[in-house]
Amino acid sequence: PQISAAPSSQLSTATERSSSLHQPPRVPNLIGGTFVNSKSSSFIDVLNPATQEVVSQVPLTTTEEFKAAVAAAKDAFPSWRNTPVTTRQRVMLKLQELIRRDMDKLALNITTEQGKTLKDAQGDVFRGLEVVEHACGMGTLQMGEYVSNVANGIDTYSIREPLGVCAGICPFNFPAMIPLWMFPIAVTCGNTFVLKPSEKDPGASIILAELAMEAGLPKGVLNIVHGTTDIVNAICDDVDIRAISFVGSNTAGMHIYGRAAAKGKRVQSNMGAKNHAIIMPDANMNATLNALIAAGFGAAGQRCMALSTVVFVGDSKLWEGKLVESAKSLKVNSGLEPGADLGPVISKQAKERICKLIQSGVDDGARLLLDGRDIVVPGYEQGNFIGPTILTDVRTDMECYKEEIFGPVLLCMHADTFEEAIKLVNRNKYGNGASIFTSSGVAARKFQTDIEAGQVGINVPIPVPLPFFSFTGSKASFAGDLNFYGKAGVNFYTQIKTITQQWKDLPSGTGVSLAMPTSQ
Ligand code: NAD
């Protein structure tokens, strides 16, 4: 690929510093409070998906460096866990202010490395920022429980203590939001953390770490290491790491879940999706079509909450033509260009994979109503662009239906009845989310009850829940039992200690009883 330096404003200060020594600049690790360039001899190019320019290079962190990061986190733990929760909250309070200050820089970095539009990149940061805001209330979130006088003179209470060193492994599609789902909650609970960003777009994690240090997070509380499978396996195997948060594909997620659990670790693993929308004929047509376009093609379909499959019930299938017209009007361009609706997909390989799945749909008998595969964006001829694509008459036995496409491709299916549509959705192995569009409260309520998905939208496309709830994917979209953020997230990063205390004047001369103590 063509090598050229990225404009410095989008890089973290630490990465920029390396550009005087290396061209392209190298993304540093963060170990014990210092940003250090890896001594590795293997680096991966971070490519701008709209141009193929090399933005930076990310190291395959060495075993020694990884061990040093875990050791730094372990060393920082005793003093950090004993730091008052109000102090830990205040670091988050400052961090949220700094993220707001550097929102544009973060968004520019995300657009450059990940490809989404600037406005969408701001949303990526903002949804993570909300988790930081939520962590500012940790004193309340982490509260224990107390029952007085469970027996005469005896009280029992439980406290939620941090686990120790926790780790996070991130996907490419939300370079700011997903690291922010992880480390703010973990560290505000009193844990220390080792973060492994996606090797495809590590820049936002480094900027966020710089901001966390500026906000006053002590050295060693947050560490960052880079790499791919080897470093992930090292995280799974390390005896000092107590819990792993993972977000990404099912292949990686189930591997990590199995390997880390076998070593006795807690794992929360958010994975792939195939989110369906059921469209009832009584739905508000315009609002529904707008929602389908936004949730199907926003971020070029690279959201785990993308609505990728539409099930038209009865006559609502007549709306397909309007859906196609609306999709045609979307502007595909570099995410930096004003007016762009969707940017490129992450890599050449991703584009090839998506195009192959579209072709497999055609070969299996689906009808291609809109084909975005041959799009060329003037000025960005090297970009990994795919225009909005719509396949209809899709059946459940088709490869394009069974696989998560993760691109700007909407699959349309038809059902004669509402019940048939619900059965169709429930047969799918994934359970991240499902939506219904209808003006019938009765249908909506039946949908809410009968649908087997962890996140349900009623007249809204799948929402990423706000941080006072949790991100509740289910079935093959999630492994573990404590979801990300919300109450479950705090429970994930803490363990319960239950204390029973007795304070009373004990009468002298009572005998000893060896019977099981009871509180009668
Ligand atoms: P990915 O699984 O390829 O990569 C995620 C992380 O795992 C990266 O850090 C990568 O280095 C590591 N990794 C990749 N393959 C590995 C392997 N074989 N062994 C060990 N580690 C490995 O995922 P991606 O392509 O970056 O992200 C897209 C996927 O993430 C999609 O499936 C999407 O649905 C999913 N996702 C899910 C959610 C959710 O909350 N459910 C959110 C965002 C993304």
Side-chain angles (χ1 to χ4, degrees):
Q2 172 195 348
I3 301 216
S4 66
S8 60
S9 60
Q10 86 220 4
L11 294 173
S12 67
T13 312
T15 308
E16 232 175 85
R17 219 174 281 134
S18 122
S19 66
S20 55
L21 297 170
H22 303 281
Q23 204 49 251
R26 291 184 168 174
V27 185
N29 288 320
L30 171 60
I31 300 174
T34 311
F35 288 96
V36 274
N37 276 329
S38 172
K39 295 201 168 56
S40 175
S41 51
S42 308
F43 286 81
I44 301 173
D45 288 341
V46 176
L47 300 177
N48 179 330
T51 62
Q52 310 307 327
E53 280 172 354
V54 181
V55 180
S56 59
Q57 288 183 316
V58 67
L60 299 187
T61 299
T62 66
T63 306
E64 292 68 37
E65 290 160 347
F66 167 69
K67 288 205 167 117
V70 178
K74 196 178 174 188
D75 288 351
F77 179 60
S79 120
W80 181 241
R81 67 164 284 173
N82 285 321
T83 301
V85 67
T86 43
T87 307
R88 299 199 303 252
Q89 286 181 157
R90 253 172 238 129
V91 175
M92 289 300 124
L93 203 56
K94 184 70 186 170
L95 177 59
Q96 66 78 30
E97 179 193 328
L98 298 178
I99 291 173
R100 285 172 199 278
R101 182 194 71 190
D102 285 1
M103 176 73 85
D104 290 344
K105 177 178 175 173
L106 278 158
L108 185 58
N109 177 281
I110 292 171
T111 299
T112 309
E113 295 186 3
Q114 200 275 351
K116 62 180 74 174
T117 65
L118 270 179
K119 194 156 184 237
D120 200 29
Q122 300 243 356
D124 184 334
V125 181
F126 197 86
R127 296 309 300 268
L129 172 67
E130 288 171 332
V131 181
V132 180
E133 291 169 346
H134 185 63
C136 295
M138 191 54 74
T140 312
L141 295 168
Q142 206 175 343
M143 256 180 199
E145 293 174 333
Y146 193 106
V147 176
S148 171
N149 219 36
V150 290
N152 187 18
I154 296 183
D155 314 310
T156 297
Y157 53 99
S158 64
I159 52 179
R160 291 209 155 266
E161 295 192 321
L163 303 171
V165 182
C166 301
I169 301 165
C170 304
F172 78 82
N173 65 331
F174 282 100
M177 179 182 80
I178 288 175
L180 290 173
W181 281 3
M182 299 177 178
F183 80 82
I185 302 288
V187 303
T188 317
C189 285
N191 299 286
T192 55
F193 208 78
V194 177
L195 183 73
K196 207 292 286 172
S198 167
E199 66 278 11
K200 300 195 175 83
D201 44 24
S205 285
I206 298 289
I207 299 175
L208 290 169
E210 282 176 344
L211 298 181
M213 304 284 293
E214 187 182 342
L217 200 66
K219 289 180 179 175
V221 173
L222 173 63
N223 303 272
I224 299 184
V225 291
H226 302 284
T228 57
T229 315
D230 287 348
I231 197 101
V232 167
N233 286 339
I235 291 172
C236 293
D237 294 346
D238 194 286
V239 291
D240 288 323
I241 293 176
R242 296 284 315 278
I244 299 178
S245 297
F246 170 82
V247 180
S249 65
N250 282 62
T251 312
M254 287 315 292
H255 165 73
I256 291 163
Y257 184 69
R259 187 160 175 154
K263 298 276 177 182
K265 296 187 201 324
R266 284 186 185 188
V267 183
Q268 52 177 192
S269 180
N270 264 12
M271 299 176 286
K274 196 84 179 175
N275 304 313
H276 293 65
I278 293 182
I279 315 300
M280 300 300 285
D282 62 7
N284 176 317
M285 184 183 70
N286 282 337
T288 301
L289 293 177
N290 285 344
L292 294 181
I293 293 287
F297 302 119
Q302 299 174 113
R303 290 182 188 142
C304 57
M305 301 308 285
L307 271 182
S308 53
T309 309
V310 187
V311 185
F312 289 105
V313 176
D315 283 349
S316 71
K317 67 171 174 258
L318 301 173
W319 302 352
E320 262 179 13
K322 285 199 161 60
L323 185 69
V324 173
E325 284 318 304
S326 191
K328 270 186 193 163
S329 70
L330 296 176
K331 293 191 180 51
V332 182
N333 209 334
S334 154
L336 293 178
E337 296 294 338
D341 291 310
L342 54 152
V345 296
I346 188 69
S347 64
K348 285 255 171 279
Q349 295 83 330
K351 177 170 174 172
E352 257 170 46
R353 198 184 140 273
I354 295 163
C355 290
K356 234 164 99 184
L357 282 167
I358 297 170
Q359 189 55 43
S360 80
V362 175
D363 295 344
D364 289 342
R367 278 188 300 128
L368 195 53
L369 298 180
L370 186 61
D371 184 359
R373 287 175 294 178
D374 294 331
I375 193 167
V376 177
V377 176
Y380 297 93
E381 289 77 5
Q382 297 304 312
N384 317 319
F385 293 99
I386 306 178
T389 297
I390 300 180
L391 281 161
T392 191
D393 295 342
V394 171
R395 296 187 317 268
T396 54
D397 61 342
M398 293 179 181
E399 205 57 28
C400 67
Y401 177 79
K402 288 191 276 187
E403 290 287 312
E404 180 185 31
I405 300 181
F406 224 54
V409 182
L410 207 49
L411 305 183
C412 298
M413 309 175 84
H414 307 117
D416 290 333
T417 64
F418 181 35
E419 286 71 19
E420 195 188 309
I422 288 184
K423 277 192 193 135
L424 188 158
V425 178
N426 286 350
R427 275 200 304 270
N428 193 277
K429 70 173 177 175
Y430 292 110
N432 220 28
S435 286
I436 185 168
F437 291 85
T438 182
S439 55
S440 156
V442 175
R445 194 163 183 284
K446 180 174 170 55
F447 180 80
Q448 173 195 310
T449 311
D450 292 355
I451 208 72
E452 292 165 12
Q455 282 153 142
V456 173
I458 296 172
N459 292 325
V460 289
I462 321 291
V464 172
L466 282 159
F468 22 89
F469 295 96
S470 297
F471 191 99
T472 52
S474 64
K475 290 163 74 181
S477 300
F478 180 69
D481 66 350
L482 291 168
N483 295 104
F484 279 81
Y485 61 81
K487 290 193 184 96
V490 174
N491 291 353
F492 180 77
Y493 289 124
T494 54
Q495 59 197 337
I496 304 174
K497 188 180 269 175
T498 311
I499 298 116
T500 301
Q501 64 173 0
Q502 171 174 272
W503 294 109
K504 65 179 176 189
D505 290 326
L506 296 164
S508 56
T510 47
V512 59
S513 166
L514 272 63
M516 181 69 178
T518 59
S519 63
Q520 297 175 58

